[in-house]
């Protein structure tokens, strides 16, 4: 999300030149860095406690689909728009996933608590990203709108897809 928030904060897209939008993007950037810090700290601790320091995990299916879409893009405006599309989908959709994690009794309690704290911020981000999407879309040209509409369902599909690659990669490495 951070690359998209940075582009929006810098008025890189039509319909984003508002002080309130820039302030929201600055706060979202700070929040996302904090979310990363929380999750990575817990992940490092869990890996250390379980002796899994050398474990190398693959990128998520959502990220792999994003990289593929970026690789197929013909121009920089398309790559930038894909960055925003993937961020909007993730920020609007992440609450369902985080709710599953925060309510899970089968995972480490620390990870569930971090998911709960993260989820509280994401409710605000979802609302902001919905408004950002509306403002950007309303100010796009016809080609940009078409590209946005074409890739929005692909980003959503990638975000909600079942991704067993982490489990597969973990089990392979553990033998």
């Amino acid at each position: 999300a951070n690359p998209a928030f940075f582009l929006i904060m810098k008025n890189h897209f039509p319909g984003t030149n508002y002080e309130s939008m820039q302030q929201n993007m600055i706060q979202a950037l700070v929040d996302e860095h904090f979310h990363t810090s929380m999750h990575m700290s817990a992940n490092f601790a869990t890996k250390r406690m379980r002796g899994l320091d050398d474990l190398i995990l693959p990128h998520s299916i959502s990220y792999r689909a994003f990289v593929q879409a970026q690789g197929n893009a013909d121009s920089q405006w398309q790559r930038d728009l894909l960055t925003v599309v993937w961020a909007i989908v993730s920020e609007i959709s992440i609450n369902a996933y985080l709710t599953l994690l925060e309510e899970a009794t089968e995972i480490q309690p620390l990870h569930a608590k971090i998911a709960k704290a993260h989820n509280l911020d994401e409710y605000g981000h979802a609302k902001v990203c919905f408004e950002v999407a509306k403002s950007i879309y309303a100010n796009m040209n016809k080609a940009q709108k078409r590209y946005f509409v074409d890739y929005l369902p692909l980003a959503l599909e990638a975000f909600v897809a079942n991704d067993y690659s982490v489990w597969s990669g973990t089990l392979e490495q553990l033998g």
Side-chain angles (χ1 to χ4, degrees):
N2 278 346
F5 292 160
F6 186 77
L7 289 171
I8 295 163
M9 181 189 72
K10 291 293 188 180
N11 305 318
H12 194 71
F13 296 95
T16 61
N17 191 21
Y18 302 101
E19 181 181 334
S20 61
M21 188 173 295
Q22 292 168 352
Q23 287 177 334
N24 277 302
M25 292 300 99
I26 291 167
Q27 183 61 55
L29 282 162
V30 170
D31 293 347
E32 292 301 327
H33 284 291
F34 182 61
H35 301 157
T36 300
S37 176
M38 289 189 310
H39 287 288
M40 293 307 296
S41 294
N43 287 339
F44 292 147
T46 298
K47 287 170 76 173
R48 193 173 45 255
M49 288 186 318
R50 294 184 178 192
L52 302 173
D53 292 325
D54 297 330
L55 193 62
I56 299 169
L57 301 176
H59 290 293
S60 70
I61 193 169
S62 179
Y63 181 75
R64 293 190 314 265
F66 169 69
V67 169
Q68 182 178 0
Q70 289 250 320
N72 293 335
D74 295 327
S75 64
Q76 188 60 47
W77 75 261
Q78 291 172 330
R79 287 185 285 281
D80 291 345
L81 191 53
L82 288 168
T83 299
V84 169
V85 166
W86 250 260
I88 288 168
V89 166
S90 68
E91 293 297 298
I92 291 174
S93 306
I94 191 76
N95 290 110
Y97 179 66
L98 291 171
T99 298
L100 289 173
L101 291 177
E102 79 177 61
E103 294 175 354
T105 57
E106 304 83 11
I107 67 173
Q108 293 292 319
L110 175 61
H111 293 282
K113 288 178 182 173
I114 288 171
K116 184 175 185 171
H118 183 178
N119 206 9
L120 292 172
D121 280 345
E122 292 303 341
Y123 281 109
H125 291 186
K127 292 174 185 170
V128 168
C129 283
F130 184 74
E131 294 302 320
V132 166
K134 287 189 329 187
S135 185
I136 290 173
Y137 186 82
N139 289 282
M140 287 179 182
N141 65 38
K142 191 174 183 175
Q144 292 168 326
K145 285 181 179 181
R146 181 78 260 154
Y147 202 77
F148 183 92
V149 168
D150 285 347
Y151 278 93
L152 196 62
L154 295 173
L156 182 58
E157 182 179 306
F159 190 78
V160 301
N162 289 320
D163 186 2
Y164 300 107
S165 63
V166 172
W167 283 110
S168 178
T170 301
L171 294 174
E172 271 183 38
Q173 290 176 65
L174 294 177

